[in-house]
Coordinates of all heavy atoms in Angstrom, one line a residue:
E1087 N 6.3 4.5 5.0 CA 5.6 3.4 4.4 C 5.4 2.3 5.4 O 4.4 1.7 5.5 CB 6.3 2.9 3.2 CG 6.3 3.8 2.0 CD 7.1 3.4 0.8 OE1 7.9 2.4 0.9 OE2 7.0 4.0 -0.2
E1088 N 6.4 2.1 6.3 CA 6.3 1.0 7.3 C 5.2 1.4 8.3 O 4.4 0.5 8.7 CB 7.7 0.8 8.0 CG 7.7 -0.2 9.0 CD 9.0 -0.4 9.8 OE1 10.0 0.2 9.3 OE2 9.0 -1.0 10.8
V1089 N 5.2 2.6 8.8 CA 4.2 3.0 9.8 C 2.8 2.9 9.1 O 1.9 2.5 9.8 CB 4.5 4.4 10.3 CG1 3.4 4.9 11.2 CG2 5.9 4.4 11.0
Q1090 N 2.7 3.3 7.9 CA 1.4 3.3 7.2 C 1.0 1.8 7.1 O -0.2 1.6 7.3 CB 1.6 3.9 5.8 CG 0.3 4.1 5.1 CD 0.4 4.8 3.8 OE1 1.5 4.8 3.2 NE2 -0.6 5.3 3.3
A1091 N 1.9 0.9 6.8 CA 1.5 -0.5 6.7 C 1.1 -1.0 8.1 O 0.1 -1.8 8.1 CB 2.6 -1.3 6.1
L1092 N 1.8 -0.6 9.1 CA 1.4 -1.1 10.4 C 0.0 -0.6 10.8 O -0.7 -1.3 11.5 CB 2.4 -0.6 11.5 CG 3.8 -1.4 11.4 CD1 4.8 -0.7 12.3 CD2 3.6 -2.8 11.8
L1093 N -0.3 0.6 10.4 CA -1.6 1.2 10.8 C -2.8 0.4 10.1 O -3.9 0.4 10.6 CB -1.7 2.6 10.4 CG -1.0 3.6 11.3 CD1 -0.9 5.0 10.7 CD2 -1.6 3.6 12.7
S1094 N -2.5 -0.4 9.1 CA -3.5 -1.2 8.4 C -3.5 -2.6 8.9 O -4.4 -3.4 8.6 CB -3.1 -1.2 6.9 OG -3.1 0.0 6.3
D1095 N -2.6 -3.0 9.8 CA -2.5 -4.3 10.3 C -3.6 -4.5 11.3 O -3.7 -3.8 12.3 CB -1.1 -4.5 11.0 CG -0.8 -5.9 11.4 OD1 -1.8 -6.5 12.0 OD2 0.3 -6.4 11.3
P1096 N -4.4 -5.6 11.2 CA -5.5 -5.8 12.1 C -5.0 -6.0 13.6 O -5.7 -5.5 14.5 CB -6.1 -7.2 11.6 CG -5.7 -7.2 10.2 CD -4.4 -6.5 10.1
S1097 N -3.8 -6.6 13.8 CA -3.4 -6.7 15.2 C -3.1 -5.4 15.8 O -3.2 -5.2 17.0 CB -2.2 -7.6 15.2 OG -1.1 -7.1 14.6
V1098 N -2.6 -4.4 15.0 CA -2.3 -3.1 15.5 C -3.6 -2.3 15.7 O -3.8 -1.6 16.7 CB -1.4 -2.3 14.5 CG1 -1.3 -0.8 14.9 CG2 -0.1 -3.0 14.4
I1099 N -4.6 -2.5 14.8 CA -5.9 -1.8 15.0 C -6.6 -2.2 16.3 O -7.2 -1.3 16.9 CB -6.8 -2.1 13.7 CG1 -6.2 -1.5 12.5 CG2 -8.2 -1.6 13.9 CD1 -6.8 -1.8 11.2
T1100 N -6.5 -3.4 16.7 CA -7.1 -3.9 17.9 C -6.4 -3.4 19.1 O -7.0 -3.4 20.2 CB -7.3 -5.4 17.9 OG1 -6.0 -6.0 17.8 CG2 -8.2 -5.9 16.8
D1101 N -5.1 -3.1 19.0 CA -4.3 -2.6 20.2 C -4.4 -1.0 20.1 O -3.5 -0.4 19.5 CB -2.9 -3.1 20.1 CG -2.0 -2.7 21.2 OD1 -2.4 -1.8 22.0 OD2 -0.9 -3.2 21.3
Q1102 N -5.3 -0.5 20.8 CA -5.5 1.0 20.8 C -4.3 1.8 21.2 O -4.1 2.9 20.6 CB -6.7 1.4 21.7 CG -8.1 0.9 21.1 CD -8.3 1.6 19.7 OE1 -8.2 2.8 19.5 NE2 -8.6 0.7 18.7
N1103 N -3.6 1.4 22.2 CA -2.4 2.1 22.6 C -1.3 2.2 21.4 O -0.8 3.2 21.1 CB -1.8 1.6 23.8 CG -2.6 1.8 25.0 OD1 -3.4 2.8 25.1 ND2 -2.6 0.9 26.0
R1104 N -1.1 1.0 20.8 CA -0.1 1.0 19.8 C -0.6 1.7 18.5 O 0.1 2.5 17.9 CB 0.1 -0.5 19.4 CG 1.3 -0.6 18.4 CD 1.8 -2.0 18.3 NE 2.9 -2.1 17.4 CZ 3.1 -3.1 16.5 NH1 2.4 -4.1 16.5 NH2 4.2 -3.0 15.7
F1105 N -1.9 1.6 18.2 CA -2.5 2.3 17.1 C -2.4 3.8 17.3 O -2.0 4.5 16.4 CB -4.0 1.9 16.9 CG -4.6 2.5 15.7 CD1 -4.4 2.0 14.5 CD2 -5.4 3.6 15.8 CE1 -5.0 2.5 13.3 CE2 -6.0 4.2 14.7 CZ -5.8 3.6 13.5
R1106 N -2.7 4.3 18.5 CA -2.6 5.7 18.8 C -1.2 6.2 18.7 O -0.9 7.3 18.1 CB -3.1 6.0 20.2 CG -3.3 7.4 20.6 CD -4.0 7.7 21.9 NE -4.2 6.5 22.8 CZ -5.3 5.8 23.0 NH1 -6.4 6.1 22.3 NH2 -5.4 4.8 23.8
A1107 N -0.2 5.4 19.2 CA 1.2 5.8 19.1 C 1.7 5.9 17.6 O 2.4 6.8 17.2 CB 2.1 4.8 19.9
L1108 N 1.3 4.9 16.9 CA 1.7 4.8 15.4 C 1.0 6.0 14.6 O 1.6 6.5 13.7 CB 1.4 3.5 14.8 CG 2.3 2.3 15.2 CD1 1.7 1.0 14.8 CD2 3.7 2.6 14.7
S1109 N -0.2 6.3 15.0 CA -0.9 7.4 14.3 C -0.2 8.7 14.6 O -0.1 9.5 13.7 CB -2.4 7.5 14.8 OG -3.1 6.4 14.4
K1110 N 0.2 8.9 15.8 CA 1.0 10.1 16.2 C 2.3 10.1 15.4 O 2.7 11.2 14.9 CB 1.2 10.1 17.7 CG 2.0 11.4 18.1 CD 2.2 11.4 19.6 CE 3.0 12.6 20.0 NZ 3.4 12.7 21.3
E1111 N 3.0 9.0 15.4 CA 4.3 9.0 14.6 C 4.0 9.3 13.2 O 4.8 10.0 12.5 CB 4.9 7.6 14.8 CG 6.2 7.5 14.1 CD 6.9 6.1 14.3 OE1 6.4 5.3 15.1 OE2 7.9 5.9 13.7
Y1112 N 3.0 8.7 12.6 CA 2.7 8.9 11.2 C 2.4 10.4 10.9 O 2.9 10.9 9.9 CB 1.5 8.1 10.8 CG 1.1 8.2 9.3 CD1 1.8 7.5 8.3 CD2 0.1 9.1 8.9 CE1 1.5 7.6 7.0 CE2 -0.2 9.2 7.5 CZ 0.5 8.5 6.6 OH 0.2 8.6 5.3
S1113 N 1.7 11.0 11.8 CA 1.4 12.4 11.5 C 2.6 13.3 11.7 O 2.8 14.3 11.0 CB 0.3 12.9 12.5 OG 0.7 13.0 13.8
E1114 N 3.5 12.9 12.5 CA 4.8 13.6 12.7 C 5.7 13.5 11.5 O 6.4 14.4 11.0 CB 5.5 13.2 13.9 CG 4.9 13.6 15.2 CD 5.4 13.0 16.5 OE1 6.3 12.1 16.3 OE2 5.0 13.4 17.6
L1115 N 5.7 12.3 10.9 CA 6.5 12.0 9.7 C 5.9 12.5 8.4 O 6.7 12.7 7.5 CB 6.7 10.4 9.6 CG 7.5 9.8 10.7 CD1 7.5 8.3 10.5 CD2 9.0 10.3 10.7
E1116 N 4.6 12.7 8.4 CA 4.0 13.0 7.1 C 4.6 14.3 6.5 O 4.8 14.3 5.3 CB 2.5 13.1 7.3 CG 1.7 13.3 6.1 CD 0.2 13.2 6.3 OE1 -0.2 13.5 7.5 OE2 -0.5 12.9 5.4
E1117 N 4.7 15.3 7.2 CA 5.2 16.6 6.7 C 6.7 16.4 6.2 O 7.1 17.0 5.2 CB 5.1 17.7 7.8 CG 5.4 19.1 7.2 CD 4.5 19.5 6.2 OE1 3.3 19.2 6.2 OE2 4.9 20.2 5.2
I1118 N 7.5 15.7 7.0 CA 8.9 15.4 6.6 C 8.9 14.7 5.3 O 9.7 15.0 4.4 CB 9.6 14.6 7.7 CG1 9.7 15.5 9.0 CG2 11.0 14.2 7.3 CD1 10.1 14.7 10.2
V1119 N 8.1 13.7 5.1 CA 8.1 12.9 3.9 C 7.7 13.8 2.7 O 8.3 13.7 1.6 CB 7.2 11.7 4.0 CG1 6.9 11.0 2.7 CG2 7.7 10.7 5.0
K1120 N 6.6 14.6 2.9 CA 6.2 15.5 1.8 C 7.3 16.4 1.4 O 7.5 16.7 0.2 CB 5.0 16.3 2.3 CG 3.7 15.5 2.3 CD 2.6 16.4 2.7 CE 1.3 15.7 2.8 NZ 0.2 16.5 3.3
T1121 N 8.0 17.0 2.4 CA 9.1 17.9 2.1 C 10.2 17.2 1.4 O 10.8 17.7 0.4 CB 9.6 18.5 3.4 OG1 8.5 19.2 4.0 CG2 10.7 19.5 3.1
F1122 N 10.6 16.0 1.8 CA 11.6 15.2 1.1 C 11.2 14.9 -0.3 O 12.1 15.0 -1.2 CB 11.9 13.9 1.9 CG 13.0 13.1 1.3 CD1 14.3 13.5 1.3 CD2 12.7 11.9 0.7 CE1 15.3 12.8 0.7 CE2 13.7 11.1 0.1 CZ 15.0 11.6 0.1
L1123 N 10.0 14.5 -0.5 CA 9.6 14.2 -1.9 C 9.6 15.4 -2.8 O 10.0 15.3 -4.0 CB 8.2 13.6 -1.9 CG 8.1 12.2 -1.2 CD1 6.6 11.7 -1.2 CD2 8.9 11.2 -2.0
A1124 N 9.2 16.6 -2.2 CA 9.3 17.8 -3.0 C 10.8 18.1 -3.3 O 11.1 18.6 -4.4 CB 8.7 18.9 -2.2
Y1125 N 11.7 17.9 -2.4 CA 13.1 18.1 -2.6 C 13.6 17.2 -3.7 O 14.3 17.7 -4.6 CB 13.9 17.9 -1.3 CG 15.4 17.9 -1.5 CD1 16.0 19.1 -1.6 CD2 16.1 16.7 -1.4 CE1 17.4 19.1 -1.8 CE2 17.5 16.7 -1.6 CZ 18.1 17.9 -1.7 OH 19.5 17.9 -1.9
Q1126 N 13.2 15.9 -3.7 CA 13.7 15.0 -4.7 C 13.1 15.4 -6.1 O 13.9 15.4 -7.1 CB 13.2 13.6 -4.4 CG 14.0 12.9 -3.4 CD 13.5 11.4 -3.2 OE1 12.3 11.2 -3.2 NE2 14.4 10.5 -3.0
Q1127 N 11.9 15.9 -6.1 CA 11.3 16.4 -7.4 C 12.1 17.6 -7.9 O 12.4 17.7 -9.1 CB 9.8 16.7 -7.2 CG 9.2 17.1 -8.5 CD 9.2 16.0 -9.6 OE1 8.8 14.9 -9.3 NE2 9.7 16.3 -10.8
A1128 N 12.4 18.5 -7.0 CA 13.2 19.7 -7.4 C 14.6 19.3 -8.0 O 15.0 19.8 -9.0 CB 13.4 20.6 -6.3
Q1129 N 15.2 18.3 -7.4 CA 16.5 17.8 -7.9 C 16.3 17.2 -9.3 O 17.2 17.5 -10.1 CB 17.1 16.7 -6.9 CG 17.7 17.3 -5.7 CD 18.4 16.2 -4.9 OE1 17.8 15.2 -4.7 NE2 19.6 16.5 -4.5
D1130 N 15.3 16.4 -9.5 CA 15.0 15.8 -10.8 C 14.8 16.9 -11.8 O 15.2 16.9 -13.0 CB 13.8 14.9 -10.7 CG 14.1 13.6 -10.0 OD1 15.3 13.3 -9.7 OD2 13.1 12.9 -9.6
D1131 N 14.0 18.0 -11.4 CA 13.7 19.1 -12.3 C 15.0 19.8 -12.7 O 15.2 20.2 -13.9 CB 12.7 20.0 -11.7 CG 11.3 19.4 -11.5 OD1 11.1 18.3 -12.1 OD2 10.5 20.0 -10.8
V1132 N 15.9 20.0 -11.8 CA 17.2 20.7 -12.1 C 18.0 19.8 -13.0 O 18.5 20.4 -14.0 CB 18.0 20.9 -10.8 CG1 19.4 21.3 -11.1 CG2 17.3 22.0 -9.9
A1133 N 18.0 18.6 -12.8 CA 18.8 17.7 -13.7 C 18.2 17.7 -15.1 O 19.0 17.7 -16.1 CB 18.8 16.2 -13.1
T1134 N 16.9 17.6 -15.2 CA 16.3 17.7 -16.5 C 16.5 19.0 -17.2 O 16.9 19.0 -18.4 CB 14.7 17.5 -16.4 OG1 14.5 16.2 -15.7 CG2 14.0 17.5 -17.7
A1135 N 16.4 20.1 -16.5 CA 16.7 21.4 -17.1 C 18.2 21.5 -17.6 O 18.5 22.0 -18.6 CB 16.4 22.5 -16.1
E1136 N 19.1 21.0 -16.8 CA 20.5 21.0 -17.1 C 20.7 20.2 -18.4 O 21.5 20.6 -19.3 CB 21.4 20.4 -16.0 CG 21.5 21.4 -14.8 CD 22.2 20.8 -13.7 OE1 22.3 19.6 -13.5 OE2 22.7 21.6 -12.8
E1137 N 20.0 19.1 -18.6 CA 20.2 18.3 -19.9 C 19.6 19.1 -21.0 O 20.1 19.1 -22.1 CB 19.4 17.0 -19.7 CG 20.2 16.0 -19.0 CD 21.5 15.6 -19.6 OE1 21.6 15.4 -20.8 OE2 22.5 15.6 -18.9
M1138 N 18.5 19.8 -20.8 CA 17.8 20.6 -21.8 C 18.7 21.8 -22.2 O 18.6 22.2 -23.4 CB 16.5 21.1 -21.4 CG 15.4 20.0 -21.3 SD 13.9 20.5 -20.5 CE 13.3 21.8 -21.6
L1139 N 19.5 22.3 -21.3 CA 20.4 23.4 -21.6 C 21.5 23.0 -22.6 O 22.0 23.9 -23.3 CB 21.1 23.9 -20.3 CG 20.2 24.7 -19.4 CD1 20.9 24.9 -18.1 CD2 19.8 26.1 -20.0
K1140 N 21.7 21.8 -22.8 CA 22.7 21.3 -23.8 C 22.1 21.2 -25.2 O 22.8 20.9 -26.1 CB 23.2 19.9 -23.3 CG 24.0 20.0 -22.0 CD 24.4 18.6 -21.5 CE 25.0 18.7 -20.1 NZ 25.2 17.3 -19.6
D1141 N 20.8 21.4 -25.3 CA 20.1 21.2 -26.6 C 20.6 22.3 -27.6 O 20.9 23.4 -27.2 CB 18.6 21.3 -26.4 CG 17.8 20.8 -27.6 OD1 17.9 21.4 -28.7 OD2 17.1 19.8 -27.4
S1142 N 20.7 21.9 -28.9 CA 21.1 22.9 -29.9 C 20.1 23.9 -30.3 O 20.4 24.9 -30.9 CB 21.6 22.1 -31.1 OG 20.5 21.4 -31.7
D1143 N 18.8 23.6 -30.0 CA 17.7 24.5 -30.3 C 17.7 25.7 -29.3 O 17.5 25.5 -28.1 CB 16.4 23.7 -30.2 CG 15.2 24.6 -30.6 OD1 15.4 25.8 -30.9 OD2 14.1 24.1 -30.5
P1144 N 17.8 26.9 -29.7 CA 17.9 28.1 -28.8 C 16.6 28.3 -28.0 O 16.6 28.7 -26.9 CB 18.1 29.3 -29.7 CG 18.2 28.8 -31.1 CD 18.1 27.3 -31.1
D1145 N 15.4 27.9 -28.7 CA 14.1 28.0 -28.0 C 14.1 27.0 -26.8 O 13.6 27.4 -25.7 CB 13.0 27.8 -28.9 CG 12.8 28.9 -29.9 OD1 13.2 30.1 -29.6 OD2 12.3 28.6 -31.0
M1146 N 14.6 25.9 -27.1 CA 14.6 24.8 -26.0 C 15.5 25.2 -24.9 O 15.2 25.1 -23.7 CB 15.0 23.5 -26.6 CG 14.9 22.3 -25.6 SD 13.2 22.1 -25.1 CE 12.7 21.0 -26.4
R1147 N 16.6 25.8 -25.2 CA 17.6 26.3 -24.2 C 16.9 27.4 -23.3 O 17.1 27.5 -22.1 CB 18.9 26.8 -24.8 CG 19.8 25.6 -25.2 CD 21.2 26.0 -25.4 NE 21.3 27.2 -26.3 CZ 21.5 27.2 -27.6 NH1 21.5 26.0 -28.3 NH2 21.6 28.3 -28.3
E1148 N 16.2 28.3 -24.0 CA 15.5 29.4 -23.3 C 14.5 28.8 -22.3 O 14.4 29.2 -21.1 CB 14.8 30.3 -24.2 CG 14.2 31.5 -23.6 CD 13.6 32.5 -24.6 OE1 14.1 32.5 -25.8 OE2 12.7 33.2 -24.2
I1149 N 13.7 27.8 -22.7 CA 12.7 27.2 -21.8 C 13.5 26.5 -20.7 O 13.1 26.6 -19.5 CB 11.9 26.1 -22.6 CG1 11.0 26.9 -23.6 CG2 11.1 25.3 -21.7 CD1 10.3 26.0 -24.6
A1150 N 14.6 25.9 -21.0 CA 15.4 25.2 -20.0 C 15.9 26.1 -18.9 O 15.9 25.8 -17.7 CB 16.5 24.4 -20.6
Q1151 N 16.3 27.3 -19.4 CA 16.8 28.3 -18.4 C 15.7 28.7 -17.4 O 16.0 28.8 -16.2 CB 17.4 29.5 -19.2 CG 18.7 29.3 -19.8 CD 19.1 30.5 -20.7 OE1 18.3 31.3 -21.1 NE2 20.4 30.6 -20.9
E1152 N 14.5 28.9 -17.9 CA 13.4 29.2 -17.0 C 13.1 28.1 -16.0 O 12.9 28.3 -14.9 CB 12.2 29.6 -17.8 CG 12.3 30.9 -18.5 CD 12.5 32.1 -17.6 OE1 11.9 32.2 -16.5 OE2 13.4 32.9 -17.9
E1153 N 13.1 26.9 -16.6 CA 12.8 25.7 -15.7 C 13.9 25.5 -14.7 O 13.6 25.2 -13.6 CB 12.6 24.5 -16.6 CG 11.3 24.5 -17.4 CD 11.1 23.2 -18.1 OE1 11.7 22.1 -17.7 OE2 10.2 23.2 -19.0
Y1154 N 15.1 25.8 -15.1 CA 16.3 25.7 -14.2 C 16.1 26.7 -13.0 O 16.3 26.3 -11.9 CB 17.6 25.9 -14.9 CG 18.8 25.7 -14.1 CD1 19.3 24.5 -13.8 CD2 19.5 26.8 -13.6 CE1 20.4 24.3 -12.9 CE2 20.6 26.7 -12.7 CZ 21.0 25.4 -12.5 OH 22.2 25.3 -11.7
K1155 N 15.8 27.9 -13.4 CA 15.6 28.9 -12.3 C 14.5 28.6 -11.4 O 14.6 28.7 -10.2 CB 15.3 30.3 -13.0 CG 16.4 31.0 -13.7 CD 16.0 32.3 -14.3 CE 17.1 32.8 -15.2 NZ 16.6 34.1 -15.9
E1156 N 13.4 28.1 -11.9 CA 12.3 27.6 -11.1 C 12.7 26.5 -10.1 O 12.3 26.5 -8.9 CB 11.1 27.2 -11.9 CG 10.2 28.3 -12.4 CD 9.0 27.8 -13.1 OE1 8.4 26.8 -12.6 OE2 8.7 28.3 -14.2
A1157 N 13.4 25.5 -10.7 CA 13.7 24.4 -9.9 C 14.7 24.7 -8.8 O 14.7 24.2 -7.7 CB 14.3 23.3 -10.8
K1158 N 15.6 25.6 -9.1 CA 16.6 26.1 -8.1 C 15.9 26.8 -7.0 O 16.3 26.7 -5.9 CB 17.7 27.0 -8.8 CG 18.8 26.2 -9.4 CD 19.6 25.5 -8.3 CE 20.9 25.0 -8.8 NZ 21.7 24.3 -7.9

């Protein structure tokens, strides 16, 4: 987010060397950030499925088991 904000800064835009360096850094970080966000989502999905596994409704538990497997 910080690098993205800097890339929008007018003083950075006018400094081509700094802009180029930040653009390179942003592209290197982008895949890492996407992977981390997907990891966080998977963790949230596992936690939600674990809560659903405690439900008294057998149909809901069955759905939760499938969601748990997918998230894992």
Side-chain angles (χ1 to χ4, degrees):
E1087 290 175 351
E1088 180 183 347
V1089 174
Q1090 187 177 22
L1092 286 171
L1093 286 170
S1094 301
D1095 187 319
S1097 66
V1098 172
I1099 293 172
T1100 58
D1101 182 348
Q1102 287 300 308
N1103 290 332
R1104 187 164 182 219
F1105 184 80
R1106 191 175 8 262
L1108 287 170
S1109 294
K1110 182 179 177 188
E1111 182 179 355
Y1112 182 81
S1113 69
E1114 291 170 354
L1115 292 173
E1116 190 173 23
E1117 189 63 33
I1118 295 167
V1119 170
K1120 283 182 184 178
T1121 303
F1122 179 71
L1123 292 175
Y1125 172 74
Q1126 282 184 320
Q1127 183 62 54
Q1129 283 186 313
D1130 290 345
D1131 292 348
V1132 167
T1134 300
E1136 287 174 340
E1137 283 299 312
M1138 289 172 61
L1139 285 169
K1140 298 174 186 175
D1141 197 294
S1142 61
D1143 181 4
D1145 291 332
M1146 188 61 88
R1147 286 196 310 268
E1148 186 177 331
I1149 293 169
Q1151 286 175 336
E1152 289 301 315
E1153 288 187 17
Y1154 182 79
K1155 286 178 189 176
E1156 277 186 44
K1158 275 294 197 181

